Amino acid sequence: MHGTFNAIGFLTRTRRPGRIDVTDVLSWLWLVGGTLAVLVPVLWAGLSSLKPEAEITRFPPTLLPVAAVQVEVQGYDKPLSLWNVTVDGETREMAMVRRIGLKAQVVDPENPGKPASVDTKSISPVQRLTVATENYSDPLTRFSFLTFLKNSVFVTFVATILTLIVNALAAFALSKYRFRGEKAIFVLIISTLMIPLTVVMVPAYLVVVGVGLVDNLWGVIIPTVATPTGVFLLRQYMLTIPDELIEAARVDAASEFRIFWRIILPLTAPALAVLAIFSVLWRWNDFLWPLIVLSSRENFTLQVGLNAFQGEFSVQWHYILAMTFLSLIPVTIVFLFLQRYITTGIAGTGMK
């Protein structure tokens, strides 16, 4: 209840107490517009993932998952779709036999006889709310979705743990040790941000081939462990930790690794949480690098596996939308657990 009142108070807060300013209106419009811009595509994808395959490409599109009603008609091998047909001001439900140009041939499903020709402008489909659960069940049972999911979880989890450890060690050395070339090394690391990924992709692939990690999940994990963004984020945060804490630990005969593990890491938890969120998003959504390194279907990650539903002449949008919507769940859970550290972690990187 207290959180509800805080939310209401935040939304109704104005620049001047008791008076609405132009900036208040612009702020509300910006917040509402930004929320809709993020929420509407996700909502649309979620509802579309419940639609039958034929309804996804229907124009004009519908928001809710509806589908045309099919009925069995005597004398016809396949079920026919029902349509509302208006003739002489009277509307009836008729089954469509075929459609040719601007004309459609329909029959009475209760008493089928010779098909009648009607104008397509006078008909509209009979639709009902239909949830296509097979969009989710088929990839889980007939395809290798669970294998793709397992590979993505393994790559994301292991790569995130290694990223936190490696980048934290580098940031600790660059923030708490004084040695010749310290600034130059830090500038060199940050400067790699300006190098396009496509430039280093071929050399990185040759290294992966040389060490025999092609078509191996470790070949996806190891080259992406060290990130200049992670080093910068953690170094800037560690600069805010007083050096006196480290000196006191050294006086107590603590080893350098013990200082790092027992003092620096716990105090850097907000920045580590932010880097963990970034790392999960990077690894979970990565498509190009796993596509280059992996060749066996049993090693595909989720993003590469989803590409299998896209053929040369057809795209199985109903499966792609369903599996994409499922793939949002793990990163959403991680974000919900770690979101309270985001503001603290990012704000702390610029305090010194």
Side-chain angles (χ1 to χ4, degrees):
M1 183 65 70
H2 180 68
T4 303
F5 283 121
N6 284 342
I8 295 175
F10 172 76
L11 294 175
T12 57
R13 186 183 306 167
T14 57
R15 183 180 181 88
R16 299 176 182 176
R19 180 181 175 184
I20 298 179
D21 193 75
V22 176
T23 56
D24 298 323
V25 177
L26 293 177
S27 298
W28 291 332
L29 291 176
W30 178 261
L31 290 174
V32 172
T35 301
L36 291 178
V38 173
L39 186 60
V40 168
V42 177
L43 180 63
W44 183 270
L47 292 175
S48 297
S49 69
L50 300 174
K51 295 179 181 179
E53 181 180 5
E55 296 300 317
I56 292 179
T57 56
R58 178 182 293 275
F59 186 85
T62 58
L63 178 62
L64 297 177
V66 295
V69 178
Q70 303 281 330
V71 293
E72 296 283 349
V73 180
Q74 184 179 1
Y76 295 90
D77 297 333
K78 297 181 180 180
L80 304 180
S81 59
L82 277 182
W83 292 72
N84 290 317
V85 180
T86 303
V87 180
D88 297 330
E90 182 183 358
T91 302
R92 299 175 53 190
E93 288 188 356
M94 306 285 284
M96 180 184 290
V97 178
R98 66 180 60 87
R99 180 172 179 171
I100 304 174
L102 298 178
K103 295 292 183 178
Q105 293 185 337
V106 296
V107 296
D108 187 348
E110 301 294 336
N111 186 22
K114 184 178 179 180
S117 180
V118 297
D119 195 339
T120 55
K121 295 181 179 179
S122 63
I123 63 175
S124 60
V126 178
Q127 296 179 326
R128 292 176 185 170
L129 190 66
T130 303
V131 177
T133 56
E134 63 271 12
N135 293 350
Y136 288 87
S137 60
D138 286 353
L140 294 175
T141 55
R142 294 168 47 196
F143 304 106
S144 305
F145 177 79
L146 293 179
T147 301
F148 303 154
L149 180 64
K150 179 192 68 175
N151 293 338
S152 285
V153 170
F154 175 77
V155 169
T156 301
F157 178 77
V158 175
T160 298
I161 296 299
L162 293 178
T163 296
L164 295 178
I165 294 175
V166 171
N167 288 276
L169 287 170
F172 177 54
L174 292 172
S175 61
K176 297 303 177 184
Y177 289 91
R178 300 294 175 261
F179 53 90
R180 181 178 297 178
E182 162 201 356
K183 300 289 185 181
I185 293 176
F186 179 67
V187 171
L188 181 63
I189 293 175
I190 296 301
S191 64
T192 59
L193 288 171
M194 296 182 291
I195 301 176
L197 179 62
T198 52
V199 173
V200 300
M201 194 163 289
V202 172
Y205 178 74
L206 293 177
V207 172
V208 169
V209 172
V211 297
L213 292 180
V214 176
D215 197 23
N216 191 306
L217 293 179
W218 287 103
V220 178
I221 296 172
I222 295 177
T224 62
V225 166
T227 61
T229 303
V231 174
F232 172 77
L233 182 70
L234 296 179
R235 175 187 178 272
Q236 296 301 106
Y237 196 92
M238 288 180 184
L239 289 174
T240 65
I241 300 175
D243 293 338
E244 289 76 10
L245 291 176
I246 299 176
E247 296 300 332
R250 288 170 178 161
V251 170
D252 292 337
S255 65
E256 296 300 310
F257 182 78
R258 185 179 181 86
I259 293 173
F260 168 76
W261 191 259
R262 301 297 296 272
I263 297 177
I264 299 299
L265 280 188
L267 293 176
T268 320
L272 289 172
V274 174
L275 181 57
I277 293 176
F278 289 162
S279 179
V280 168
L281 291 175
W282 294 335
R283 275 60 181 187
W284 188 263
N285 296 323
D286 194 10
F287 170 74
L288 185 57
W289 181 244
L291 179 66
I292 294 174
V293 175
L294 304 175
S295 57
S296 300
R297 187 176 180 85
E298 61 271 14
N299 289 330
F300 283 175
T301 58
L302 188 57
Q303 305 304 327
V304 179
L306 288 177
N307 189 55
F309 293 117
Q310 181 173 347
E312 184 177 357
F313 301 105
S314 65
V315 180
Q316 297 172 298
W317 287 115
H318 55 307
Y319 290 149
I320 292 178
L321 287 172
M323 296 303 97
T324 300
F325 198 72
L326 280 182
S327 69
L328 295 176
I329 296 177
V331 291
T332 303
I333 294 175
V334 171
F335 179 80
L336 291 177
F337 273 105
L338 301 178
Q339 63 173 335
R340 62 192 183 98
Y341 292 107
I342 292 179
T343 304
T344 305
I346 294 179
T349 61
M351 292 179 62
K352 185 172 181 180

